[in-house]
Amino acid sequence: MQEKLDLTYNDAVQAIKQAILSSQLRATRHVNEEQLALYFGIGKYISENTREGKWGTGAVESISRQLRAELPGLKGYSGRNLLLMRQFYEEWRRISNSAAAAAELEEGKSSATANKLPAQELAAAAAELQRADNQPIMIANIAQQNHPFPEYEMTWDDFFSLGFTLHMEILSKAKTIEERAFYIHQAALYRWDKYTLRDYLKADIFHHQAKLPNNFATTIPATRQAMKAMRMFKDEYMLDFINVEQLGERDEDIDEAVVEKEIVNNIKNFIIQFGRSFTYKGSQVYYDKLGHDHWVDLLFFNRELQSLVVVELKSGKFKPAYLGQLAAYLRVLDDEEKLPNENPSIGIILCKDADKAYVEYVLQDYNKPMGVATYKTRQEQLKELLPDEEKLKELL
């Protein structure tokens, strides 16, 4: 009886749950909006007084100490945080839509302020962050260049969805407006916490996006879907959990087995590299088609693409034969595994080295969506940064 009641009221439960989640999201956005507007205003005030020499050395620390003395229990207003607020204001005022900010940038001067923090001045500064129409900021317009992916628009809803800590993580690592807007949009869309954001900033997904050699544009009919697939995969992945001492001492098949084992043992880290939309379904997944065996190295499902994703591991350089093998796997998956509401399966070859121009050339004759990425270990990356043996001898 209880089970029947649960099924009967399931729709009501889902509706109420969605209302609760939406309300929580709006409440979080409102809190963030108030905080960011306040911090922007404080940053503006500190910037105008410190940059123009009105305050002496140590003024910010002194102000912080007195603030905390007059407001016991106050958190978030250390000297360091006040300087972060200044940075927050100075970095973002460049795209402010207010007439006051535009005049400030054009004339190269700031509005007059007293040596106190009047409420009207703070309100005016905070208002510079807001737009009445809440229209998306086109990255192409901000960067004054055309961008091939309209999905990278950033709205003020995205902006206010993130707390100050996440904003400062982005400002500290991403230097261009286009790059910052990309991470803000992604962090808001997928609700990243600061640790996830740090992982993606460290992986530098912005500069690796859409560089994967692929045939998605010609094999995925929907343009928007093809763009999503291009954006989803990087051209190179850092697999710093692989023990390189185990590689290169055996034949290729054994090396590939070592790589696969390390990935499976560290699947969480691997998915962080690929993206949170990926769900791991298994390794060495077996399919029998017309009496022939097929063993898929790694199988995932991507919620955003609504596609199965095959990752085939190769320990050496790219070979054209790999594409034929991968195309066969994708055909079997689409016949045996793909649901009617899902998009065609996508295949990625992950190998040690690949000539991108050559990969794109041979991909032209395949009608299954595929791409070829490379991987590096942490030791290999460090080795590239160090001088070679001869140079080291010269330096010594």
Side-chain angles (χ1 to χ4, degrees):
M1 182 63 180
Q2 183 63 41
E3 184 178 350
K4 291 183 178 178
L5 285 175
D6 290 346
L7 293 174
T8 301
Y9 295 113
N10 183 63
D11 289 345
V13 171
Q14 297 306 315
I16 294 172
K17 182 178 77 172
Q18 187 57 47
I20 292 171
L21 293 175
S22 298
S23 176
Q24 290 174 339
L25 186 61
R26 288 195 300 272
T28 300
R29 183 192 183 281
H30 179 72
V31 171
N32 286 341
E33 184 172 350
E34 290 294 326
Q35 183 189 61
L36 294 177
L38 174 62
Y39 286 1
F40 186 87
I42 293 173
K44 181 179 191 295
Y45 182 73
I46 294 173
S47 176
E48 290 172 346
N49 283 280
T50 56
R51 299 303 190 193
E52 296 179 7
K54 295 180 181 178
W55 293 350
T57 303
V60 173
E61 284 293 341
S62 297
I63 291 170
S64 171
R65 284 195 298 271
Q66 187 167 338
L67 268 177
R68 287 177 286 172
E70 295 189 11
L71 294 171
L74 181 68
K75 296 181 179 179
Y77 289 86
S78 65
R80 178 179 180 275
N81 279 353
L82 291 176
L83 291 176
L84 288 177
M85 293 175 201
R86 181 180 69 178
Q87 181 187 357
F88 180 66
Y89 161 71
E90 291 177 347
E91 293 289 346
W92 282 111
R93 66 177 176 177
R94 291 179 293 166
I95 60 167
S96 171
N97 197 45
S98 72
E104 178 183 338
L105 290 175
E106 291 173 4
E107 298 173 14
K109 60 182 181 180
S110 304
S111 59
T113 57
N115 289 328
K116 58 182 179 179
L117 199 60
Q120 289 182 343
E121 176 66 22
L122 262 183
E128 293 180 9
L129 266 181
Q130 303 177 39
R131 287 171 52 127
D133 55 4
N134 197 34
Q135 292 298 312
I137 305 168
M138 295 296 295
I139 300 308
N141 294 338
I142 294 175
Q144 296 182 343
Q145 61 185 13
N146 292 325
H147 196 290
F149 302 114
E151 287 91 346
Y152 292 165
E153 295 174 0
M154 180 188 74
T155 67
W156 284 115
D157 278 336
D158 292 337
F159 192 95
F160 289 122
S161 293
L162 306 189
F164 185 67
T165 300
L166 294 186
H167 275 287
M168 295 315 300
E169 289 283 347
I170 293 170
L171 287 179
S172 67
K173 299 294 192 303
K175 300 307 179 185
T176 66
I177 293 175
E178 185 181 22
E179 187 179 358
R180 290 169 181 174
F182 167 79
Y183 284 109
I184 288 173
H185 178 66
Q186 296 296 309
L189 181 64
Y190 297 112
R191 301 183 186 180
W192 293 344
D193 57 28
K194 67 177 180 180
Y195 302 106
T196 303
L197 174 61
R198 284 174 184 172
D199 286 332
Y200 284 122
L201 286 166
K202 181 181 177 181
D204 195 20
I205 63 172
F206 175 79
H207 288 107
H208 285 291
Q209 60 180 332
K211 294 182 180 180
L212 175 86
N214 66 82
N215 62 356
F216 298 155
T218 57
T219 57
I220 300 178
T223 302
R224 189 176 183 87
Q225 185 74 2
M227 287 182 175
K228 281 185 179 180
M230 292 177 190
R231 174 168 56 86
M232 187 66 62
F233 302 100
K234 299 188 295 182
D235 60 328
E236 184 176 87
Y237 293 91
M238 179 60 65
L239 306 185
D240 53 2
F241 46 79
I242 292 179
N243 181 3
V244 293
E245 293 179 358
Q246 300 182 56
L247 302 180
E249 299 177 359
R250 306 170 176 85
D251 61 48
E252 282 192 1
D253 290 339
I254 296 178
D255 276 351
E256 288 164 14
V258 170
V259 173
E260 181 180 322
K261 180 182 177 182
E262 291 296 305
I263 288 176
V264 172
N265 290 340
N266 296 272
I267 196 65
K268 182 178 179 181
N269 292 334
F270 186 73
I271 289 177
I272 286 175
Q273 286 275 324
F274 263 65
R276 290 185 66 179
S277 294
F278 286 86
T279 300
Y280 175 59
K281 293 182 68 67
S283 64
Q284 291 301 309
V285 182
Y286 175 72
Y287 294 95
D288 177 4
K289 191 67 174 178
L290 302 178
H292 292 266
D293 297 331
H294 299 81
W295 299 90
V296 174
D297 283 351
L298 296 169
L299 184 61
F300 298 87
F301 183 79
N302 184 275
R303 287 175 292 132
E304 185 176 351
L305 296 174
Q306 283 294 295
S307 297
L308 290 162
V309 177
V310 176
V311 177
E312 278 298 297
L313 301 169
K314 303 298 178 185
S315 64
K317 291 184 178 181
F318 166 79
K319 297 176 182 178
Y322 297 157
L323 296 176
Q325 179 188 29
L326 183 57
Y329 290 170
L330 294 177
R331 177 61 186 266
V332 172
L333 278 171
D334 285 343
D335 286 346
E336 301 290 331
E337 193 79 32
K338 184 177 81 68
L339 298 178
N341 62 307
E342 294 174 355
N343 294 309
S345 304
I346 294 173
I348 301 294
I349 291 172
L350 191 58
C351 54
K352 283 293 296 173
D353 189 30
D355 182 330
K356 291 185 179 182
Y358 180 61
V359 170
E360 291 176 344
Y361 173 75
V362 295
L363 271 171
Q364 294 178 85
D365 288 332
Y366 288 90
N367 59 8
K368 292 293 184 184
M370 296 185 289
V372 177
T374 58
Y375 67 88
K376 285 184 179 178
T377 63
R378 177 66 61 191
Q379 292 92 329
E380 289 170 323
Q381 186 187 49
L382 292 174
K383 186 176 180 180
E384 289 181 357
L385 297 175
L386 293 172
D388 58 33
E389 186 176 352
E390 293 302 318
K391 185 66 176 178
L392 193 59
K393 287 179 180 178
E394 291 178 13
L395 292 173
L396 292 173

